[in-house]
């Protein structure tokens, strides 16, 4: 069943209400990082952190951290939640330079505001601060997980750039890219939450798998939003993937199922996409060939697998809301 759009906002609201104290700690920790930054950095990261994202990664971490036998240590949850959000922000600052995008969270991107040189360094500072947030964490696995997630993000992004323009990109290669650039950090957020909940190693691993499935679904849907599929109030630019020669799941399905003539025609259309001359025609062909639908079905299958793991976790107050949230994500509007 595909839930309605309002459901997504509603369930996210219910989840946030359950963990509002923890999210407050996350925000306080982020504010502390901004306050402590030196001039030249302070004002800029202040501006970036004012544009509140959806805080999906911190929300997942906080929700899982509350599923243990006793309440988690809020200071540790706040620091770890801040770490994953700041790492995510660092990666977006760099990603917007790489993709050449001008709009993020409804505002001008860092490189548009301050130029590439400053934006690279702001991203570097944020990455360093993300690691600093967990440097004093008493469980040494937490900084190790976070640093491994950063490595995976970077590898995934490099793979994506290396693969750009390759029309014969395979399904497995695409999954490798998004496993690194997106799912790795969501996986890490869930595992860190599970450690803070005091779960044994096997449950920590299951939570990681749950996060990874959710992350894969999230990116497949994000790639559909880039075509405008299901997008309402999109707070970033459309068609950046085809303009940058990036082949995502709908095109992989299209090329798998099309004729030789259709392949050549699509190749010509993609060559014109950088000037946004052919985007509408590309969309019409992807729609007609059910390529969007096939990609959406894959996202739903990953969401289903995340839901199944969530439903096995203890403390139904949190785990059921999490499962409902996963289920609502297929209809996220931005
Ligand atoms: C958004 O993808 C980008 C990511 C999820 C990860 C980007 C990672 C890097 C730039 C590596 C550097 C990382 C660090 C740790 C500083 P997208 O372009 O598909 O999504 P979008 O539409 O939101 O831009
Ligand atoms: Mg991007």
């Amino acid at each position: 069943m595909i839930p309605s759009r309002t459901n997504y906002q509603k369930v996210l609201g219910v989840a946030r209400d359950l963990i509002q104290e923890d999210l407050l700690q996350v925000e306080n920790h982020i504010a502390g990082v901004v306050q402590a930054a030196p001039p030249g950095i302070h004002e800029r990261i202040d501006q970036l952190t004012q544009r509140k994202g959806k805080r999906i990664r911190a929300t997942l971490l906080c929700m899982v951290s509350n599923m243990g036998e006793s309440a988690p240590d809020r200071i540790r949850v706040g620091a770890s939640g801040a770490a994953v959000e700041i790492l995510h922000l660092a990666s977006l600052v760099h990603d917007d330079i790489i993709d050449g995008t001008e709009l993020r969270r409804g505002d001008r991107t860092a490189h548009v505001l301050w130029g590439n040189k400053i934006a690279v360094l702001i991203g570097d500072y944020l990455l360093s601060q993300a690691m600093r947030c967990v440097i004093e964490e008493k469980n040494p696995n937490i900084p190790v997980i976070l640093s491994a997630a950063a490595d995976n993000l970077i590898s995934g992004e490099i793979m994506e750039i290396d693969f750009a323009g390759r029309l014969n990109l395979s399904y497995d290669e695409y999954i490798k890219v998004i496993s690194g650039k997106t799912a790795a950090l969501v996986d890490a957020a869930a595992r860190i939450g599970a450690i803070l909940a005091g779960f044994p190693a096997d449950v920590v691993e299951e939570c990681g798998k749950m996060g990874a499935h959710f992350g894969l679904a999230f990116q497949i849907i994000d790639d559909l939003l880039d075509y405008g599929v299901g997008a309402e109030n999109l707070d970033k630019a459309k068609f950046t993937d085809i303009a940058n020669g990036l082949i995502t799941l709908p095109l992989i399905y299209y090329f798998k199922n099309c004729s030789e003539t259709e392949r050549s025609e699509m190749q010509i259309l993609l060559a014109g996409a950088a000037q946004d001359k052919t985007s509408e025609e590309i969309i019409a062909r992807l729609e007609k060939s059910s390529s969007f639908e096939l990609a959406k079905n894959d996202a739903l299958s990953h969401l289903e697998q995340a839901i199944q793991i969530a439903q096995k976790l203890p403390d139904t107050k949190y785990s059921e809301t999490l499962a409902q949230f996963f289920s609502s994500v297929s209809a996220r509007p931005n």
Side-chain angles (χ1 to χ4, degrees):
M1 183 196 77
I2 305 208
S4 72
R5 286 181 200 294
T6 46
N7 202 19
Y8 169 73
Q9 308 289 4
K10 206 174 119 198
V11 184
L12 189 53
V14 172
R16 284 185 182 140
D17 281 350
L18 283 176
I19 50 162
Q20 53 177 295
E21 293 293 317
D22 306 271
L23 284 177
L24 194 64
Q25 286 292 339
V26 172
E27 294 308 326
N28 286 345
H29 205 99
I30 294 174
V33 168
V34 173
Q35 279 314 315
I41 298 177
H42 167 81
E43 320 80 86
R44 290 179 169 116
I45 64 172
D46 190 25
Q47 190 170 341
L48 295 178
T49 54
Q50 294 292 327
R51 312 168 178 173
K52 293 233 165 62
K54 295 181 281 291
R55 301 281 195 249
I56 301 286
R57 291 152 188 83
T59 299
L60 178 61
L61 185 153
C62 294
M63 291 288 282
V64 176
S65 75
N66 276 284
M67 292 177 192
E69 275 172 17
S70 49
D73 178 336
R74 286 232 160 88
I75 301 293
R76 292 174 72 199
V77 171
S80 292
V84 295
E85 287 299 331
I86 294 173
L87 177 55
H88 174 54
L89 181 58
S91 76
L92 294 182
V93 169
H94 283 177
D95 178 67
D96 287 331
I97 301 169
I98 295 164
D99 289 349
T101 40
E102 297 184 353
L103 198 65
R104 168 76 64 188
R105 294 177 178 170
D107 208 341
R108 281 172 299 164
T109 49
H111 69 98
V112 168
L113 287 167
W114 309 305
N116 280 356
K117 292 179 189 177
I118 297 282
V120 167
L121 294 166
I122 291 293
D124 290 344
Y125 185 84
L126 289 167
L127 173 58
S128 159
Q129 288 303 312
M131 298 304 163
R132 175 75 64 86
C133 287
V134 288
I135 214 161
E136 285 170 18
E137 170 53 48
K138 66 180 180 204
N139 185 323
N141 290 331
I142 290 182
V144 171
I145 289 171
L146 199 71
S147 146
D151 293 350
N152 285 325
L153 250 72
I154 295 164
S155 301
E157 191 77 1
I158 288 181
M159 248 186 275
E160 179 171 270
I161 297 166
D162 280 341
F163 290 155
R166 249 193 51 198
L167 299 185
N168 62 350
L169 188 76
S170 72
Y171 181 88
D172 289 349
E173 285 167 332
Y174 169 77
I175 293 293
K176 254 190 180 172
V177 168
I178 68 170
S179 295
K181 77 171 196 174
T182 308
L185 187 52
V186 190
D187 168 336
R191 267 191 293 151
I192 292 170
I195 290 172
L196 295 171
F199 285 145
D202 57 330
V203 183
V204 173
E205 282 316 300
E206 276 301 288
C207 289
K209 280 187 201 151
M210 174 183 77
H213 280 301
F214 173 58
L216 290 173
F218 199 81
Q219 187 61 47
I220 294 170
I221 294 166
D222 201 70
D223 292 340
L224 285 163
L225 290 171
D226 197 75
Y227 283 106
V229 177
E232 251 175 35
N233 310 320
L234 195 64
D235 55 0
K236 54 189 180 184
K238 280 198 289 186
F239 309 133
T240 57
D241 291 339
I242 44 175
N244 285 319
L246 302 183
I247 306 296
T248 60
L249 202 45
L251 275 171
I252 291 174
Y253 277 123
Y254 184 85
F255 284 130
K256 187 171 168 231
N257 298 323
C258 70
S259 67
E260 273 313 308
T261 318
E262 285 167 334
R263 173 181 294 272
S264 317
E265 286 170 0
M266 182 57 94
Q267 248 168 305
I268 295 166
L269 289 169
L270 286 171
Q275 293 84 37
D276 197 14
K277 284 185 188 152
T278 50
S279 310
E280 295 304 331
E281 176 61 23
I282 293 170
I283 287 174
R285 288 180 184 228
L286 292 174
E287 182 73 60
K288 196 164 162 240
S289 58
S290 302
S291 305
F292 290 137
E293 207 180 316
L294 290 167
K296 183 135 193 180
N297 284 342
D298 281 355
L300 291 175
S301 153
H302 284 294
L303 288 175
E304 194 48 50
Q305 293 175 76
I307 290 166
Q308 276 176 19
I309 299 175
Q311 284 171 337
K312 280 190 242 140
L313 294 173
D315 202 331
T316 50
K317 187 167 100 178
Y318 295 94
S319 57
E320 272 174 15
T321 305
L322 195 57
Q324 278 169 22
F325 173 63
F326 290 156
S327 141
S328 75
V329 163
S330 61
R332 75 185 174 107
N334 58 37

